[in-house]
Amino acid sequence: MKNKSYISTVIANWKMHNDFNAALDLVIKIFSYSNMAKNVEKIICPPVVNIIPLYDQFKNSTFSLGAQNINENNEGSYTGEISVNMLKNYITHAIIGHSERREIFNESNYTISLKAKALLSNKIVPVICVGEPLEIYKKNRSVEFINNQLFEILSKIQTNSQILIAYEPIWSIGNKNPADPVYVEKIITKSKDFLSTIRPIRNVNHKFLYGGSVNSKNVLDYTKQQNIDGVLVGSASLDASEFGKIVLQISNNG
Ligand code: PGA
């Protein structure tokens, strides 16, 4: 049983879905299902163009707004990019290092580390994604792979602020193949142990979430584990009643 003061986190990652009207509609429906849910930290990350137009809705809610990515530079000639400075008055969190960004946009651990620094220096909580591809999982080398990601991203960061880490095994993403909760618990427990050896951040307040095909039927299998502090939800967060059920179940059961 987790201790009573403990609050789980649920993050919706909408990816590149929903124009403004669809986003507004979804937000209103999600709020109507789960705005009253207590004992759960709730964050929605819409596509960046919807963040500022949705801000007023969020101001009067129990949900926070997050970004799905940010550029690591403060400003400059980076065509098409968005800096933390431009979003910092509207968001509390930003996802960085999602496997889709690593794979499709070639982001390295080094770039993700710079993004984490940029967020922390603007008092935005980074949600740092890590996770192994299928080949590594099959070779039983997940722990080593994830530790390396954590080390390369976090070993040069000095902070006293909170960080979130989302363990998302790449093979589990896409609403098909959720990872075994006992396996996830094992990996997250080992990652937490490893984090406590990374000198500059070893005492930092952190949470470890799981992401990969989370839905209303399996969410509690993850959050009831001792070391899984919440979930990062993709596909299921695009359906208001499904996402509402996820939030309410965490709220009622931990
Ligand atoms: P999924 O996506 O829930 O659709 O598997 C999770 C993610 O990519 O963050």
Side-chain angles (χ1 to χ4, degrees), residues 15-213:
K15 308 192 179 181
M16 199 173 72
H17 294 284
N18 294 325
D19 63 12
F20 176 66
N21 288 335
L24 181 61
D25 189 53
L26 185 52
V27 160
I28 290 169
K29 285 188 180 137
I30 289 175
F31 288 2
S32 79
Y33 284 117
S34 52
N35 193 41
M36 299 313 287
K38 294 204 170 71
N39 302 323
V40 51
E41 178 183 43
K42 312 178 283 285
I43 302 147
I44 297 181
C45 302
V48 70
V49 288
N50 291 331
I51 289 176
I52 297 176
L54 287 175
Y55 179 69
D56 281 346
Q57 301 287 330
F58 278 74
K59 259 198 326 211
N60 302 317
S61 82
T62 59
F63 281 74
S64 304
L65 261 170
Q68 296 174 17
N69 178 41
I70 48 98
N71 186 279
E72 59 277 22
N73 299 291
N74 207 29
E75 63 177 352
S77 302
Y78 303 101
T79 302
E81 292 294 280
I82 312 276
S83 71
V84 185
N85 198 34
M86 294 165 183
L87 289 178
K88 69 179 181 201
N89 295 333
Y90 306 96
I91 60 170
T92 54
H93 293 72
I95 299 171
I96 52 174
H98 191 281
S99 58
E100 287 153 15
R101 296 216 55 91
R102 291 172 184 266
E103 288 185 341
I104 306 168
F105 303 102
N106 295 319
E107 286 185 5
S108 64
N109 289 329
Y110 176 67
T111 312
I112 297 159
S113 180
L114 296 179
K115 288 177 191 241
K117 274 188 201 153
L119 288 165
L120 288 163
S121 63
N122 282 286
K123 304 205 166 8
I124 307 295
V125 181
V127 181
I128 302 167
C129 299
V130 296
E132 79 282 8
L134 189 60
E135 317 82 80
I136 298 289
Y137 172 70
K138 282 187 176 155
K139 286 186 193 145
N140 222 353
R141 287 182 36 216
S142 307
V143 171
E144 185 187 329
F145 186 89
I146 295 154
N147 286 354
N148 182 57
Q149 288 182 320
L150 291 172
F151 187 80
E152 290 194 354
I153 296 168
L154 294 170
S155 59
K156 297 206 172 58
I157 288 181
Q158 296 281 356
T159 184
N160 296 318
S161 306
Q162 190 191 36
I163 58 172
L164 299 185
I165 298 171
Y167 170 51
E168 300 206 306
I170 299 174
W171 44 269
S172 75
I173 293 175
N175 210 15
K176 303 184 285 283
N177 189 24
D180 174 10
V182 174
Y183 167 79
V184 175
E185 170 70 3
K186 191 182 91 186
I187 296 287
I188 289 185
T189 305
K190 292 196 176 202
S191 299
K192 284 186 175 178
D193 287 347
F194 180 70
L195 212 66
S196 68
T197 68
I198 303 179
R199 211 163 255 281
I201 53 123
R202 68 180 169 198
N203 295 321
V204 145
N205 168 12
H206 66 272
K207 283 182 176 177
F208 255 91
L209 317 183
Y210 165 71
S213 305

